[in-house]
Amino acid sequence: MTTRPAARASSFLKKRRSRAACGRVLGVLSVAFTLAFAGFVPPSSLAAPQATAPTNTAPSKAPSKGTGNDAQSDPALSGLGWAAVSNTIAHQLDDSATTLRQVFAVLNRKDENTGNSELDSLSSRIQKVQQNTQDAVTQIQSYDNITESFLKILGTSAAENEDPSVTAQRQRIQQNAQSVKSALIRARLYNLQAQQLNTAINARRTQLQHAALSEHTVSPLAPRFWKTLLTERAENHSSFHEGGVLADWLHLLIGCAITFAVIGLSSPLTLRLLKRCGAHFRPATEDSVKEALSASIIAITLNGALEALIATLTWFIWAAATLPDGGGPIGAIIGETVPVCGFIIGAGLPVFGRSGVLAQGNPGERKALRGVDWILAISILLLDLLRAFQAQDAFGQTLQILLEIAFSIAIGLCAVDTFRRLGNQNDTRGFAPSALGVSSLLLTVTVIAILLGYVAFAFTLNGWLLSLGTGVAIVALLGLCWRDVLERLFSEGSFFSLRLMQLGLPQPRLSQIGVILSGLGNILLLLLLFSIAQTDGSFSVTDITTRLWLLFVGNTIHGVKISLDTVVLVIVLTVVAYYAIRQTRSWIRDRFFPTTRLDIGSRTSILSIFTYCSWILVGLGILSISGVSVQNLTWVVSALSVGIGFGLQSIVQNFVSGVILMAERPVRVGDMVEIAGTRGDIKRISIRATDIGLSDGSTMIVPNSQFITTSVKNATLSGATGTLTLTFQVPVTTHPERAKSMLLEVAAHRDDVLATPAPKVRVSAITADSLTVTLSVAITSARDASSVQDAILFDVFRRFRSEGVAITTA
């Protein structure tokens, strides 16, 4: 008797375990089928598990360097899964590791110093490694989450009487999960090392700047300075010998002379060509210097651009024809600087030339500024050459110091002399004295620093101010030219505006586009000026371009990519999404809805839901482009939860109520409702509030939560028609049938009273003096109830009065 219950219990437990195992297998298969339809698992891996164990269930070795197994690995991680990207990610991480080792070796070498240009190159490489490793972390993290989900479904250990295929699948997923986690750890480690190296590079750059500014040398007043200069003859002459940096100095000098000569000779020709092509150019009078400059800004800029192109072509033709290897590093520096020199001289001729803007103006002002463009261009070239000589150790230290002294004093004297001459002119008396005082102070500081032996400080200060002043002038000229070009393109009646207006763009919108493009151009020019200011005085095009590119590439901070290109892409995506959503709404409203039988409320709800969902998708896309993940938004979610708990309850309540109104649609656009004693038509339902149009023409804005939490009377919910009920009192001496027939006769003569359902008259009360009669009619529109009521009351009054029956309303 006791064995039967035990046997039954054992049988029940076996069946229960079998059912649990079957349920687990079915769960795995359902997830696999779901992932197969999503494109993660190949269809070939969805074969049903065999009843017997596979022949080879021994775990294979995990692949090295984060790579996954081949097709023999788990189905969920093969095909389009981890195996397809593991090798690519492994190669990226290997390349990142190689770059990190190279940068670390450069930063820790002791045989030579690392210059600013090399630090900029290292910083660019480190920025690229940071971006690559961050992208790898984001990509690997998704695979890690998927493997964790699979292991949660399968469990960490085998269940009793588990199918062998499920056990083998768990083992393979665990092996590949280790591979995924290994790659994830590598990517995070390399990203952290890249951040540390970037910090070290910035610290090294700051250290170099401080060391350069605080470097102390022998004062030129000391006899030892000149004695050392005489002992460096052999070192200085070695640069001019074969194999030296200045071995081709004669060809370099002749090439520079020819380039500047070509700029000087071709500048008047290009300016004349621009005038014949229609470029507006107007010489100034004594009273219209500013107006003439503004009117001629495009011609000035175009002439500078043409001369920059001519200077570049001239130098590279000369270098290719006469200089081996393009003149070496010195030739490369000259090739990068002559475009700027050509632009300065080409833009200066239309202003300071004999037939320039200032030709008919104040002759003293033109005389004071004569040759400023040439002096500025040659100074920029000399500045870059001196920096190149210093980087290449072309001369001995003392001769290099002497050249820097001469350059610094010459720059200061030229500035003082120019502003002194401008101080005597009427048009420039407003700023020339202040500029003269600043330049005199700068010259004094330069001389004192040189005499004290701080030549590097004096040279860096003068070179930085020279390059910054030149950069400000060029950026200001380009900004004015860009604004003038946009004003001409988008002005009313221009050829470009007329063509755009034919495409459907109104003139106010064209003006907005012009203003936006002008602002974007000014932002880019400010970034260019910032890049020039970061070069510490160098005006090398390559150096400026590299720093500008670093601004565009940006940096990754706490997993969020912050860069100018990302900002621009987000802005462009937002603008494109705005116009795309608006055009789609117009198509749905004007083309699709007319082919349907949807009422105005349904149409408005569909358009609202479409708009909100579209912008949510755009927001998610922007977050994806910016690299913002759920982990980055943790603090935002926490702050929102606290805000909702304290002060945003009503906003969230109205938001949820708006969603309910759009989904259930108890009230729709066009309905006539009465809420809190106010009656009107619903004009718009937004996500926060509903607009109700009142009879006096005003609009009442009602929070959506009131439509959910309070009683609302919707007069048009059941249909467009309405019912009107009027109550009258007639004398008791009047026959009820007579009163009834007269009321029905009045209702039948009204066109706005429906015949179906027919009007009804009932006696609702009898007193000693009167009968209470109720007239109920159906009208075409509930909104016309007031006007129909007035008309019926007038008709009833006239009809009963003609019969001599006194009637009153109850």
Side-chain angles (χ1 to χ4, degrees):
M1 297 296 293
T2 57
T3 57
R4 289 183 179 180
R8 291 178 181 177
S10 176
S11 176
F12 175 75
L13 290 176
K14 289 182 179 179
K15 291 180 179 181
R16 188 173 182 179
R17 292 169 182 172
S18 178
R19 290 175 182 175
C22 292
R24 183 171 295 179
V25 173
L26 290 176
V28 173
L29 290 178
S30 63
V31 173
F33 273 109
T34 302
L35 294 176
F37 284 111
F40 186 76
V41 182
S44 60
S45 63
L46 297 179
Q50 302 296 326
T52 59
T55 56
N56 184 15
T57 58
S60 59
K61 293 183 179 180
S64 60
K65 296 183 180 180
T67 60
N69 292 336
D70 52 12
Q72 301 297 328
S73 62
D74 185 78
L77 298 175
S78 61
L80 299 178
W82 173 249
V85 299
S86 58
N87 291 329
T88 303
I89 293 178
H91 289 310
Q92 291 178 355
L93 295 179
D94 291 340
D95 295 340
S96 299
T98 303
T99 303
L100 292 174
R101 286 193 295 268
Q102 293 174 353
V103 173
F104 183 80
V106 172
L107 290 177
N108 289 273
R109 64 187 181 187
K110 299 181 179 180
D111 53 343
E112 55 180 318
N113 295 326
T114 305
N116 287 322
S117 59
E118 191 172 6
L119 289 177
D120 292 337
S121 177
L122 296 178
S123 179
S124 177
R125 297 174 65 185
I126 288 298
Q127 294 282 351
K128 187 175 180 180
V129 170
Q130 280 186 284
Q131 184 59 45
N132 292 338
T133 52
Q134 183 59 41
D135 293 341
V137 168
T138 304
Q139 190 174 8
I140 300 172
Q141 186 68 52
S142 61
Y143 289 100
D144 184 60
N145 295 335
I146 291 175
T147 55
E148 291 292 338
S149 300
F150 264 92
L151 290 177
K152 287 181 180 179
I153 295 174
L154 296 177
T156 57
S157 59
E160 188 176 356
N161 297 329
E162 185 180 66
D163 192 279
S165 62
V166 177
T167 304
Q169 188 180 23
R170 180 190 297 105
Q171 293 176 354
R172 290 192 295 269
I173 290 179
Q174 290 175 345
Q175 294 166 8
N176 285 277
Q178 294 178 358
S179 173
V180 174
K181 291 186 179 297
S182 176
L184 184 60
I185 293 175
R186 285 188 66 201
R188 288 176 175 173
L189 177 62
Y190 293 160
N191 186 267
L192 178 61
Q193 291 178 349
Q195 294 178 8
Q196 293 174 349
L197 286 177
N198 194 21
T199 303
I201 291 173
N202 293 331
R204 182 69 62 85
R205 184 184 288 112
T206 303
Q207 182 181 359
L208 286 178
Q209 293 175 354
H210 292 168
L213 293 177
S214 61
E215 182 181 1
H216 184 267
T217 58
V218 180
S219 173
L221 297 178
R224 188 173 54 153
F225 177 86
W226 304 100
K227 185 183 298 183
T228 307
L229 180 64
L230 295 177
T231 58
E232 291 178 352
R233 288 184 178 180
E235 184 178 353
N236 295 330
H237 289 173
S238 63
S239 299
F240 296 93
H241 296 163
E242 185 177 357
V245 178
L246 296 174
D248 299 318
W249 67 272
L250 183 60
H251 294 87
L252 293 172
L253 182 61
I254 295 175
C256 292
I258 292 176
T259 302
F260 277 89
V262 170
I263 294 173
L265 295 175
S266 62
S267 186
L269 299 179
T270 54
L271 183 59
R272 189 177 304 172
L273 178 63
L274 290 174
K275 292 179 182 179
R276 291 184 177 181
C277 292
H280 190 66
F281 181 80
R282 187 180 73 182
T285 60
E286 293 185 3
D287 300 329
S288 62
V289 177
K290 294 182 179 179
E291 291 78 4
L293 283 173
S294 178
S296 308
I297 200 70
I298 296 180
I300 294 172
T301 307
L302 289 178
N303 197 65
L306 288 177
E307 290 305 318
L309 179 61
I310 292 173
T312 304
L313 293 177
T314 302
W315 171 257
F316 278 106
I317 290 174
W318 172 263
T322 60
L323 296 174
D325 299 330
I330 304 300
I333 291 295
I334 297 175
E336 294 176 2
T337 310
V338 289
V340 180
C341 300
F343 183 86
I344 294 173
I345 297 174
L349 178 66
V351 180
F352 310 117
R354 294 181 179 179
S355 59
V357 174
L358 301 180
Q360 303 299 327
N362 190 345
E365 183 177 344
R366 176 177 174 272
K367 183 178 180 181
L369 294 174
R370 183 184 302 172
V372 171
D373 49 349
W374 284 85
I375 294 174
L376 190 60
I378 295 175
S379 300
I380 290 294
L381 179 61
L382 291 177
L383 174 63
D384 287 346
L385 285 177
L386 287 177
R387 290 193 173 277
F389 293 158
Q390 184 181 17
Q392 299 296 326
D393 292 331
F395 304 117
Q397 183 179 6
T398 308
L399 180 58
Q400 179 71 30
I401 292 174
L402 182 61
L403 294 176
E404 293 177 359
I405 290 173
F407 177 82
S408 303
I409 295 178
I411 292 298
L413 291 176
C414 289
V416 170
D417 182 62
T418 300
F419 290 118
R420 180 185 60 80
R421 288 182 293 176
L422 287 176
N424 299 326
Q425 309 302 319
N426 295 328
D427 296 337
T428 57
R429 284 182 179 178
F431 71 92
S434 301
L436 178 60
V438 173
S439 59
S440 300
L441 178 62
L442 177 63
L443 179 60
T444 303
V445 171
T446 300
V447 173
I448 293 175
I450 290 173
L451 294 179
L452 294 177
Y454 295 98
V455 179
F457 170 77
F459 177 72
T460 302
L461 178 63
N462 285 272
W464 184 78
L465 291 176
L466 174 64
S467 63
L468 183 61
T470 306
V472 169
I474 293 176
V475 167
L477 180 62
L478 293 177
L480 293 174
C481 178
W482 177 244
R483 186 184 65 180
D484 197 7
V485 168
L486 292 177
E487 290 179 354
R488 294 176 184 272
L489 286 178
F490 294 100
S491 62
E492 187 174 0
S494 65
F495 176 82
F496 190 70
S497 295
L498 292 177
R499 294 298 179 271
L500 291 179
M501 291 177 67
Q502 292 177 358
L503 298 177
L505 289 176
Q507 183 60 40
R509 185 56 52 86
L510 294 179
S511 301
Q512 293 176 0
I513 294 175
V515 172
I516 292 174
L517 292 178
S518 178
L520 293 177
N522 291 333
I523 292 174
L524 293 177
L525 291 175
L526 288 177
L527 292 176
L528 176 62
L529 181 61
F530 182 74
S531 301
I532 294 174
Q534 278 190 317
T535 57
D536 298 331
S538 175
F539 222 98
S540 172
V541 176
T542 302
D543 196 6
I544 296 174
T545 305
T546 301
R547 294 182 180 274
L548 186 62
W549 172 249
L550 288 177
L551 291 178
F552 273 89
V553 173
N555 197 359
T556 302
I557 302 176
H558 297 294
V560 180
K561 181 181 178 183
I562 301 177
S563 60
L564 186 60
D565 59 341
T566 305
V567 174
V568 172
L569 183 59
V570 167
I571 294 175
V572 171
L573 178 61
T574 304
V575 174
V576 172
Y578 169 77
Y579 284 102
I581 293 173
R582 192 180 70 171
Q583 292 298 325
T584 306
R585 281 172 54 91
S586 301
W587 181 86
I588 295 175
R589 182 182 62 249
D590 302 333
R591 298 290 300 277
F592 176 71
F593 281 158
T595 63
T596 64
R597 297 181 179 180
L598 297 174
D599 54 49
I600 185 172
S602 302
R603 298 179 181 186
T604 305
S605 298
I606 292 174
L607 287 177
S608 300
I609 293 173
F610 167 76
T611 302
Y612 291 127
C613 292
S614 299
W615 279 114
I616 289 174
L617 293 177
V618 172
L620 294 176
I622 291 175
L623 292 178
S624 177
I625 292 174
S626 304
V628 179
S629 60
V630 178
Q631 290 118 356
N632 303 128
L633 295 178
T634 303
W635 65 274
V636 179
V637 175
S638 302
L640 286 178
S641 61
V642 175
I644 292 172
F646 284 98
L648 301 179
Q649 292 182 0
S650 59
I651 296 177
V652 175
Q653 184 180 12
N654 291 325
F655 178 84
V656 176
S657 301
V659 175
I660 295 175
L661 289 179
M662 292 182 182
E664 294 186 356
R665 299 195 300 136
V667 293
R668 296 166 293 184
V669 174
D671 285 352
M672 185 176 182
V673 299
E674 183 176 349
I675 180 172
T678 303
R679 188 182 184 92
D681 296 331
I682 294 182
K683 300 170 59 178
R684 185 176 71 95
I685 300 176
S686 65
I687 202 67
R688 189 196 65 84
T690 299
D691 299 344
I692 299 179
L694 304 182
S695 58
D696 59 355
S698 61
T699 300
M700 184 174 70
I701 301 175
V702 181
N704 290 330
S705 58
Q706 292 192 18
F707 286 90
I708 305 298
T709 58
T710 61
S711 300
V712 181
K713 180 181 179 181
N714 192 338
T716 57
L717 180 61
S718 300
T721 60
T723 302
L724 179 63
T725 302
L726 301 175
T727 304
F728 303 96
Q729 287 183 349
V730 296
V732 71
T733 57
T734 305
H735 196 279
E737 291 296 333
R738 183 184 177 192
K740 178 179 179 181
S741 62
M742 285 191 293
L743 290 175
L744 291 177
E745 182 183 350
V746 170
H749 284 82
R750 297 299 309 172
D751 296 334
D752 41 19
V753 174
L754 299 177
T756 304
K760 297 179 181 179
V761 176
R762 294 189 301 270
V763 177
S764 59
I766 300 176
T767 63
D769 299 328
S770 63
L771 297 175
T772 303
V773 183
T774 302
L775 172 64
S776 298
V777 297
I779 58 178
T780 57
S781 176
R783 295 179 179 83
D784 300 334
S786 298
S787 60
V788 174
Q789 179 179 349
D790 293 340
I792 291 177
L793 288 177
F794 277 113
D795 292 345
V796 169
F797 173 75
R798 286 192 294 265
R799 181 72 178 85
F800 277 74
R801 185 176 183 182
S802 65
E803 297 291 337
V805 178
I807 188 172
T808 60
T809 56

